[in-house]
Amino acid sequence: MVCSLNSQHLSVNGTMKKIAFIFLLILALWQFFYQEPPQSTKNQKQRIAAFFDMSSSTSSPQSSIQEGFHCDRRQTCNEMNTQAEAAYFYQHCPNQKLKIDPDGTPCGTFFK
C-alpha cells in the first residue's frame, strides 16, 4: 500500500513538473517572438520634437532663447511648468530625470 502511494505521488509530481516546464517554455517563446523591440532613444526624441515642433538638434544659446526655455538644475516633472518645457528639457538638457510615458511623451501623465 505504501509503495503504491509513493509511486502515485511521484507520477503526479513528475506531471506537474512537465506542465510547469511546458508553460515556461511557451511563455519564453511568446516573449521572444511576439514582443515589440524597444524603440531607440534617438527615434523617441525625434517623435517628441516633431510633436512639439522643436528642432531635434542639440541646444545652442540662440535656440534656447528662441524657445523661451533654457537648461538649468531642474530635472524632474514636478519641477517643470508646462509639458512643452518638459519636452524641451528632454530634448536639450543633460542629466534630466523626466518620466517618459509609454507613447514617448515626457511628463505626459503629470500634466493631464
Side-chain angles (χ1 to χ4, degrees), residues 66-102:
Q66 290 173 354
E67 296 294 333
F69 306 122
H70 63 280
C71 296
D72 53 28
R73 293 182 179 218
R74 294 179 290 165
Q75 296 179 337
T76 61
C77 291
N78 62 353
E79 295 173 317
M80 302 297 154
N81 295 316
T82 64
Q83 193 165 6
E85 185 176 42
Y88 179 87
F89 269 72
Y90 182 72
Q91 284 285 317
H92 301 286
C93 304
N95 302 325
Q96 44 80 16
K97 298 174 185 171
L98 302 174
K99 292 187 180 185
I100 307 300
D101 290 356

Side-chain angles (χ1 to χ4, degrees), residues 6 9 13 17 21 23 26 28 35 43 46 58-59 62 69 74-75 95 98:
N6 266 345
H9 177 69
N13 194 14
K17 285 182 181 179
F21 176 75
F23 176 74
I26 291 170
Q35 293 294 315
N43 186 23
Q46 289 172 345
T58 58
S59 177
Q62 186 64 26
F69 306 122
R74 294 179 290 165
Q75 296 179 337
N95 302 325
L98 302 174

Side-chain angles (χ1 to χ4, degrees), residues 4-72:
S4 172
L5 289 176
N6 266 345
S7 65
Q8 286 177 347
H9 177 69
L10 290 176
S11 68
V12 170
N13 194 14
T15 304
M16 292 300 291
K17 285 182 181 179
K18 288 178 184 176
I19 291 172
F21 176 75
I22 291 171
F23 176 74
L24 290 174
L25 182 63
I26 291 170
L27 183 64
L29 289 172
W30 177 79
Q31 184 77 11
F32 182 75
F33 288 109
Y34 294 108
Q35 293 294 315
E36 245 182 63
Q39 294 180 348
S40 69
T41 305
K42 183 179 180 183
N43 186 23
Q44 282 184 340
K45 286 187 177 186
Q46 289 172 345
R47 283 184 35 227
I48 293 167
F51 179 78
F52 287 101
D53 195 27
M54 292 181 175
S55 167
S56 62
S57 64
T58 58
S59 177
S60 69
Q62 186 64 26
S63 67
S64 65
I65 292 170
Q66 290 173 354
E67 296 294 333
F69 306 122
H70 63 280
C71 296
D72 53 28

